[in-house]
Amino acid sequence: MKILVVDDDKEIVELLDIYIKNEGYEPVSAFNGKEALTKLHTDPEIGLMILDVMMPEMSGIEVVREVRRDSQLPILILSAKTEDMDKIKGLLTGADDYVTKPFNPLEVMARVKSLLRRSQNDMKQDEPEVLDIGPLTINSDSHEVKTLTGKSIQLTALEFGILYLLASHPNRVFSADDIFERVWQQESIISAKTVMVHVSHLRDKIEEATGGEKVIETVWGVGYKIESH
């Protein structure tokens, strides 16, 4: 497994390369957005990208948008920006997680391993399980989500995890902390806004594909649920 580290600060790239090697992965480096896209297009063994936001030539947000045109590659954003709106912008663009600088490399690697577990179908079962929830058909084996008319909905690994969690427990309300701990597979160490952003993005995709169907309900002050039909 190769992990692409993209940052114009060579010291950060070299530091993360060391930790990536220590975890048994192979680091690949890029120092701007355009170089990152070139390496992604030419190296199919890259399984995850750690990406800085503020870079010359092409920002990290622009890189995420380009990658999401045809790939669900797990993406972890690194940035010195700490304002909530910057986090929300990055996640809505299609990134899977966000760590602010200065960071603890051990925390970065914990997030990396969590994202890789999600992308490697941690929820996969021995036999395919298909859930029919309202206007959606969800296949836990292939991680495919389709509308009743057969239209595919492209979701990130985390978006699929949230949808599958709620759909497989109809009528049960999950708090943001519950969702984070089950889907990210970590203790809840970030604000509920991160879960909120992913749920919002997931809702937008579902509503766009189904012509406005509202599948995920918010139980104000408690969490989220999908009702059985």
Side-chain angles (χ1 to χ4, degrees), residues 135-139 143-155 163 204-212:
L136 303 179
T137 297
I138 306 166
N139 189 311
H143 276 214
E144 290 181 319
V145 179
K146 294 184 178 181
T147 67
L148 295 179
T149 60
K151 182 177 181 179
S152 294
I153 304 176
Q154 298 300 316
L155 303 179
L163 179 61
D204 288 344
K205 291 182 177 181
I206 292 172
E207 290 181 18
E208 181 181 355
T210 61

Side-chain angles (χ1 to χ4, degrees), residues 16-44:
L16 289 175
D17 283 356
I18 292 171
Y19 280 83
I20 289 169
K21 288 178 181 176
N22 286 343
E23 293 292 340
Y25 304 114
E26 180 179 346
V28 178
S29 302
F31 301 98
N32 61 65
K34 290 184 178 179
E35 184 182 3
L37 291 176
T38 297
K39 294 197 173 182
L40 284 174
H41 291 151
T42 56
D43 192 341

